[in-house]
Amino acid sequence: MTIWNLGSINADMVYGLPHLPAAGETLAADGLERFLGGKGANMSVAGSRAGSRVSHIGAVGPDGRWAKDRLTEYGVDTRFIAEVDVPTGHAIIAVDAQGENLIILYPGANHALDSAQIGKALASANTGDILVLQNETNAQVEAARLGHELGLTVCYAAAPFQAQSVQEVLPYLDFLILNEVEAEQLRQETGLDAAELPVRHVIVTLGSRGARYLQQGCDPVDFAAHKVQAVDTTGAGDTFTGYVLAGMDRGMPMEQAILQANRAAALMVTRHGTADVIPDLREVRDAQLD
Ligand code: RIB
């Protein structure tokens, strides 16, 4: 099976800072590194490193050839990444001494996807394949509808969160992942708790407390997070999602996929950087975690 990922591709400019800047503050960085990133690219790399075949649908600008090449090096199918006349997306990421971050996004080419490109990609999909979307590209609703019509398992990682974007794709979803603050915001908009959403599988992530899995018609199941010394939480959520999707793709019971994803995310927060440093399956299995 294949995971089709309509997702963003960014150059992540990561600045190490003693603390996150306040409004009006000028602050010198301790260091600067560039990584491949974007929630989409991170999930593609995570899925690939977790052993799945991943086909990325996205766009880069004339300055983005390196990003496409790097995804190819990481085992992701890049045939459906368009090269458009808009600069590649980028993210300015500040990471403080505790590993917390703030992110400024420039969408660029991530908002220049067209219908023909998505249609062409999904025409190669097979019933039972997975389609995943996040909220950093255009054309999510159209892709979700098409994926649903084609019989794909349609998944939405609701990040960056906008209640309206979730509501627009909700009728087409088989799987939704969001954090507890977002779940509450969605409840305020829809009047529905996460457990009442019309989606077969919902995961509510609980930060350092782990995750809650809600399957329609079943009791919720909680998964504790592993306790690790975090140096950078950027991309850990994307790693978790990519590993869950790979588990689903490989036919694992959801509980087992979440346990493996928890381990991958725990390892990820001990590393500086984004897509380039996402752990592979062997590292995840071998990691000494509590
Ligand atoms: O979730 C982390 C990602 O958010 C970064 O890679 C950055 O590019 C933004 O999309």
Side-chain angles (χ1 to χ4, degrees), residues 28-29 38 50 70 73 76 104 108 112 136 139 160 177 211 242 256 273:
R70 207 171 287 182
E73 282 164 32
V76 175
I104 298 170
E136 287 187 346
I177 180 163
Q256 197 184 334

Side-chain angles (χ1 to χ4, degrees), residues 120-172:
K120 194 170 160 207
L122 294 186
S124 309
N126 293 306
T127 306
D129 282 357
I130 289 172
L131 170 66
V132 60
L133 322 154
Q134 315 81 31
N135 193 21
E136 287 187 346
T137 65
N138 64 315
Q140 296 147 27
V141 181
E142 177 184 346
R145 188 186 307 118
L146 181 57
H148 179 71
E149 284 166 8
L150 290 169
L152 310 187
T153 300
V154 182
C155 307
Y156 189 66
F161 182 79
Q162 282 176 312
Q164 195 193 333
S165 305
V166 183
Q167 283 180 274
E168 285 169 358
V169 293
L170 209 52
Y172 311 111

Side-chain angles (χ1 to χ4, degrees), residues 170 176 178-180 182-184 186-187 190-204 212-222:
L170 209 52
L176 172 68
L178 72 181
N179 70 34
E180 59 185 329
E182 296 162 350
E184 173 54 23
L186 195 58
R187 191 191 63 75
T190 61
L192 298 174
D193 284 330
E196 297 166 332
L197 291 168
V199 180
R200 195 150 37 108
H201 306 282
V202 177
I203 294 179
V204 179
R212 172 166 296 171
Y213 170 47
L214 303 144
Q215 184 180 11
Q216 260 180 350
C218 301
D219 289 335
V221 186
D222 285 345

Side-chain angles (χ1 to χ4, degrees), residues 9-33:
I9 301 169
N10 291 335
D12 282 354
M13 309 305 291
V14 182
Y15 297 84
L17 295 169
H19 59 263
L20 299 182
E25 182 178 6
T26 301
L27 192 58
D30 305 326
L32 165 63
E33 285 181 278

Side-chain angles (χ1 to χ4, degrees), residues 61-100:
D63 55 344
R65 186 77 223 190
W66 68 272
K68 197 170 164 180
D69 288 347
R70 207 171 287 182
L71 278 166
T72 307
E73 282 164 32
Y74 294 160
V76 175
D77 172 12
T78 57
R79 286 173 301 150
F80 300 105
I81 297 178
E83 294 181 23
V84 298
D85 203 15
V86 179
T88 303
H90 73 255
I92 293 172
I93 304 179
V95 179
D96 74 10
Q98 280 68 48
E100 290 302 329

